[in-house]
Amino acid sequence: MAGIVIVGTQWGDEGKGKIVHYLSKEADFIVRYQGGPNAGHTVVFDDKSFVLHLLPSGILTPNKKCIIANGVVIDPQALFEEIRILGERKISVTGRLFISELSHLILPYHRMMDIAQEETKRKIGTTRKGIGPAYADKTERKGIRLVDYLEPDTFRELLQQNLKAKRAHLGGPGAVRAL
């Protein structure tokens, strides 16, 4: 079973999404294995321009199966919005999009932490989408995964633990309640 892997040098707009879309015509599966919703892949399909942030660009090719693997950090709001926009443009992900239950989630407090970091003197030039803080939680084994999100009691318990631990980074008790 042959495979093609597209790997970028992580310098930003390299055209990975366009290449993946082009090669997806001959692929059975298109897998996104890392990153988050910071990138924007603009792909022209059927003379229409599409901007994708989380979904693999192969989702535009009919009948292809697309996978978001557990190395991707997912912002549920961004994902639902992207799926909604595609639906309005008559592209369905039903039965074609598969997401690893082990994918970690970007939650509102991750975005708040990212913004707070960028407003200090130690700016690193993030997109303020919460990707770095979500990956930090993943590596510290404190992150919330999709499977946790699907279990309301587990999600609530993990969320409360994380908010309590991050209270100092979020500006104290008042900022946490504002979430």
Side-chain angles (χ1 to χ4, degrees), residues 121-177:
K121 291 181 180 180
R122 296 180 55 216
K123 295 179 185 182
I124 61 171
T126 74
T127 58
R128 300 175 179 227
K129 303 255 177 144
I131 294 163
Y135 272 121
D137 278 359
K138 178 179 180 170
T139 60
E140 293 173 5
R141 299 182 181 197
K142 296 177 183 175
I144 297 175
R145 300 166 303 160
L146 180 59
V147 70
D148 302 322
Y149 192 65
L150 300 174
E151 296 287 335
D153 291 338
T154 301
F155 174 71
R156 191 175 304 107
E157 181 180 326
L158 290 170
L159 181 63
Q160 288 173 350
Q161 287 174 12
N162 283 356
L163 289 174
K164 184 177 179 183
K166 295 174 186 335
R167 190 166 277 149
H169 300 290
L170 295 170
V176 172
R177 280 195 294 275

Side-chain angles (χ1 to χ4, degrees), residues 73-76 103-107 110 134 144-146 149 155:
V73 288
I74 298 171
D75 181 330
S103 296
H104 281 252
L105 300 178
I106 298 171
L107 296 169
H110 290 119
I144 297 175
R145 300 166 303 160
L146 180 59
Y149 192 65
F155 174 71

Side-chain angles (χ1 to χ4, degrees), residues 91-105:
I91 295 178
S92 174
V93 302
T94 303
R96 301 189 318 115
L97 177 64
F98 302 88
I99 303 172
S100 171
E101 292 180 338
L102 301 178
S103 296
H104 281 252
L105 300 178

Side-chain angles (χ1 to χ4, degrees), residues 4-6 14-25 41-43 57:
I4 297 173
V5 178
I6 309 298
E14 305 164 309
K16 293 183 298 286
K18 292 177 180 107
I19 302 245
V20 169
H21 172 67
Y22 175 77
L23 294 174
S24 71
K25 296 169 191 163
H41 303 293
T42 302
V43 178
S57 56

